[in-house]
Amino acid sequence: MESAALSQIGLAGLAVMGQNLALNIAEKGFPISVYNRTTSKVDETLDRAHREGQLPLFGQYTPKDFVLSIKKPRSIIILVKAGAPVDQTIAALSAYMEPGDTIIDGGNEWYENTERRMVDASASGLLLGNGGFWRRRWGASRALFDAWWGPQGLLEYSSYT
């Protein structure tokens, strides 16, 4: 699915939770760009979006194309394995981001790592926060974030039944 229009949001990391969250966002009518280092995951997600109703989901195969496919100021969710993969993904994407853009780490990351990353991101004018799911695989297909930890601390908490 290709589009000249820019997506409203982006999601990098298309394992089970990332793919389900991207499809959830697209199903709600929000155009979303997706990216994964393993390009077959992008293809798989595009195929599911097509099968599940021609959803407004657009696959990108490089960090640059991914970032540039999102409307400014950009909001990008990353759902990758905690630790070094988060740092690597932030580095790859932030090279093409601009001051005022936001990165949301949707994984279960240690708060001290999040705080370090927030300081690093703010030096480039980027906003970075951590949002988490506590509902395992199906949480991504039924809700967005249970909690958001960002520059202002814990900003929001919701409980889903």
Side-chain angles (χ1 to χ4, degrees):
M1 296 177 155
E2 296 298 325
S3 173
L6 297 176
S7 295
Q8 291 183 353
I9 192 165
L11 190 143
L14 297 172
V16 173
M17 287 188 64
Q19 186 177 90
N20 284 334
L21 180 57
L23 292 165
N24 179 10
I25 291 169
E27 185 179 277
K28 304 299 186 266
F30 297 99
I32 182 169
S33 291
V34 297
Y35 166 74
N36 199 85
R37 284 185 321 158
T38 305
T39 58
S40 62
K41 289 289 193 180
V42 176
D43 294 334
E44 180 184 317
T45 305
L46 288 171
D47 183 56
R48 276 191 64 192
H50 179 75
R51 283 182 293 142
E52 294 180 18
Q54 299 288 342
L55 301 176
L57 187 143
F58 308 98
Q60 306 298 329
Y61 295 92
T62 68
K64 180 179 181 180
D65 289 344
F66 172 65
V67 171
L68 297 180
S69 73
I70 303 164
K71 182 176 76 171
K72 297 177 187 180
R74 299 173 183 95
S75 294
I76 296 175
I77 301 167
I78 59 172
L79 277 167
V80 299
K81 185 177 178 181
V86 174
D87 291 317
Q88 293 162 358
T89 302
I90 290 171
L93 300 178
S94 64
Y96 306 103
M97 297 176 76
E98 299 174 6
D101 290 349
T102 301
I103 299 171
I104 303 161
D105 177 7
N108 292 317
E109 184 60 84
W110 180 246
Y111 77 96
E112 290 178 348
N113 288 340
T114 299
E115 289 176 349
R116 173 183 52 79
R117 292 180 184 124
M118 285 190 306
V119 170
D120 293 345
S122 68
S124 299
L126 302 177
L127 301 172
L128 184 135
N130 186 291
F133 299 102
W134 291 299
R135 296 271 183 186
R136 301 188 190 234
R137 293 179 182 198
W138 56 264
S141 64
R142 296 190 184 170
L144 290 179
F145 292 106
D146 285 330
W148 162 258
W149 179 267
Q152 304 300 315
L154 185 62
L155 302 178
E156 183 176 327
Y157 174 77
S158 300
S159 177
Y160 299 94
T161 56

